[in-house]
DNA sequence: ACACCGATTTAGATCCATCTAACCCTAAAC
DNA sequence: GTTTAGGGTTAGATGGATCTAAATCGGTGT
């Protein structure tokens, strides 16, 4: 059996691998989990012993297939919970992350199955992030690009808002930046700030780079007249 | 902040106080939580330091008001979860206990409130046990008596089935012993076994003392013709 | 090539919850 | 009243997750 903490490390590594590919450094994990690097080093040793990560001293880790499966299970729990909380308990998308983070390690397989059933096997959570399927096959994580990669005049559809800060999410929601909406890019500043107009609201929104980076979009399938 | 484990100790003490009154002995807690007595002793010392229990060395503990409040909060979480799981996620009453035990320490106050709201502030859980109210005032725990205290010919209504074993609960359900049903007492054997006929089923049920003790009932309000 | 800086690992300590073994208290039996 | 059996507590160890301080690695720049 794995501890909650081990699951958190595996989840963190999985998510970092999704962002930057390849080997994940000790310090990146330490930042993500808010612990010190020696703590991470000793945890990585334990995970390595259990065959959940491949480690090269001083050069970072990658998940083994087994480690990835565990991470996917945790992510599935997390995102199913997020979906359930918004659908059935009237949570706002800005609030679900913290609650799901607390519960994800403590639900049974049975609970997972019942929640998935109640939601009719959803494919994405309220932030547009894909929910790993019950068989825990690694999902495609290449859907969408950061909105920062587009240019003035492009029209895009928001696929995913991969931020967890409730304040940021509330802000985005009130300015019409949510999965499914269309965004017309008005400006991409050299320092990464994106200004856009949402199909949902009248006002324009400006997203500082840190935020914009988490807004993943796809080009509008059909050009508009 | 209290650890999950501390909450478990307080809940266990609360429940033991409900059964046998007064001081709770180290060994009773050790049995309930499946740990050794030295472990309990050292935990009780910590709880005493925090003002959650009153301890008299070699003679057991009682909850302080503060400790009782914590216990009631945990019990409220537990029973609300049990009610929610049966009402909204199609769980059977025999299955909810284990799941609620895992989740009870990890839900937020917000989650608790939303669940209570979705259920319209229920007063009892699926086993008929009272759910402490949101203000955490100690509820009356004298409702009902053990079915073992009645005699042949008595007709009673099941108020609560305070057992947690899924096997026992399934057995009871298939034999018509659930909160709300009427039971006609057919025999109370000298060694405590109770035989009764449920208003729900044709067969008679026999309950060995250990089980019967957990079936709490009240005399039928109106005598039948 | 070499030195240096930043990141990583090693070393050693702490706190929590748990255990076993050994000792000791309380209450019941005589 | 003494004795004794059974349960409670003390002592000391373990394993998990964390920390700080100190040593060490590795890539960068000259």
């Amino acid at each position: 059996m794995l501890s909650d903490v081990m699951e958190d490390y595996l989840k963190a590594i999985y998510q970092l691998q999704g962002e930057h590919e390849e080997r994940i450094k000790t310090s990146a994990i330490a930042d993500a989990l808010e612990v010190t690097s020696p703590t991470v080093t000793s945890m990585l040793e334990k995970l390595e012993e259990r065959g959940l990560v491949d480690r090269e001293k001083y050069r970072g880790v990658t998940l083994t297939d087994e480690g990835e499966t565990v991470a996917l299970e945790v992510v599935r729990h997390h995102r199913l919970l997020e979906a359930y909380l918004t659908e059935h308990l009237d949570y706002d998308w800005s609030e679900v992350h913290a609650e799901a983070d607390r519960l994800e390690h403590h639900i049974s397989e049975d609970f997972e199955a019942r929640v998935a059933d109640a939601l009719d096997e959803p494919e994405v959570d309220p932030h547009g992030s894909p929910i790993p399927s019950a068989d825990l096959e690694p999902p495609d994580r290449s859907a969408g690009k950061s909105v920062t990669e587009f240019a003035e005049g492009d029209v895009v559809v928001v696929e995913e808002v991969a931020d967890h800060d409730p304040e940021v999410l509330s802000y985005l929601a009130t300015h019409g930046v949510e999965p499914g909406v269309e965004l017309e890019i008005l400006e991409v500043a050299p320092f990464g700030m994106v200004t856009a107009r949402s199909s949902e609201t009248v006002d324009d929104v400006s997203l500082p780079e840190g935020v914009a980076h988490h807004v993943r979009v796809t080009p509008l399938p059909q050009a508009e007249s």
Side-chain angles (χ1 to χ4, degrees), chain A:
Chain A
M1 258 305 86
L2 297 180
S3 68
D4 300 358
V5 176
M6 285 176 174
E7 290 184 356
D8 279 331
Y9 278 81
L10 295 172
K11 184 177 84 160
I13 296 165
Y14 176 79
Q15 280 167 345
L16 291 165
Q17 282 188 311
E19 285 170 30
H20 302 311
E21 295 296 318
E22 58 191 315
R23 266 201 246 308
I24 304 305
K25 289 176 300 172
T26 300
S27 56
I29 300 168
D31 288 351
L33 298 178
E34 301 189 292
V35 295
T36 59
S37 4
T39 304
V40 175
T41 298
S42 81
M43 187 71 242
L44 292 179
E45 283 166 359
K46 288 174 206 156
L47 293 174
E48 187 181 29
E49 272 172 28
R50 296 186 183 226
L52 298 165
V53 300
D54 284 326
R55 196 162 92 96
E56 273 188 67
K57 257 196 196 174
Y58 295 101
R59 320 172 124 257
V61 290
T62 56
L63 292 176
T64 61
D65 287 351
E66 196 187 338
E68 187 178 29
T69 298
V70 173
L72 285 168
E73 174 81 359
V74 179
V75 170
R76 177 169 164 83
H77 286 184
H78 183 94
R79 294 185 180 164
L80 278 174
L81 283 163
E82 289 190 334
Y84 189 86
L85 295 173
T86 50
E87 285 284 318
H88 293 281
L89 285 170
D90 207 35
Y91 273 77
D92 190 84
W93 78 327
S94 64
E95 306 170 308
V96 290
H97 178 76
E99 194 80 49
D101 246 13
R102 264 181 267 114
L103 295 176
E104 64 190 5
H105 306 297
H106 306 288
I107 68 175
S108 66
E109 289 308 284
D110 190 25
F111 185 95
E112 174 198 317
R114 283 169 199 264
V115 165
D117 200 56
L119 294 165
D120 205 16
E121 291 292 345
E123 304 205 336
V124 294
D125 75 5
H127 306 99
S129 306
I131 300 177
S133 58
D135 62 16
L136 302 179
E137 282 308 307
D140 181 18
R141 286 198 275 173
S142 59
K145 292 181 175 179
S146 165
V147 69
T148 56
E149 294 178 38
F150 290 78
E152 180 182 335
D154 290 343
V155 177
V156 297
V157 177
V158 176
E159 296 292 335
E160 182 181 355
V161 180
D163 203 298
H164 297 316
D165 181 339
E167 310 252 321
V168 171
L169 292 171
S170 291
Y171 176 87
L172 291 176
T174 63
H175 290 79
V177 179
E178 290 180 294
V181 308
E182 266 174 43
L183 247 36
E184 181 190 347
I185 312 296
L186 301 178
E187 186 189 7
V188 180
F191 46 93
M193 190 176 79
V194 175
T195 304
R197 178 172 297 145
S198 163
S199 60
E200 297 277 297
T201 54
V202 188
D203 297 334
D204 301 341
V205 215
S206 287
L207 311 174
E209 182 172 31
V211 174
H213 188 254
H214 289 128
V215 177
R216 299 186 65 83
V217 303
T218 49
L220 189 66
Q222 295 291 85
E224 310 236 23
S225 62

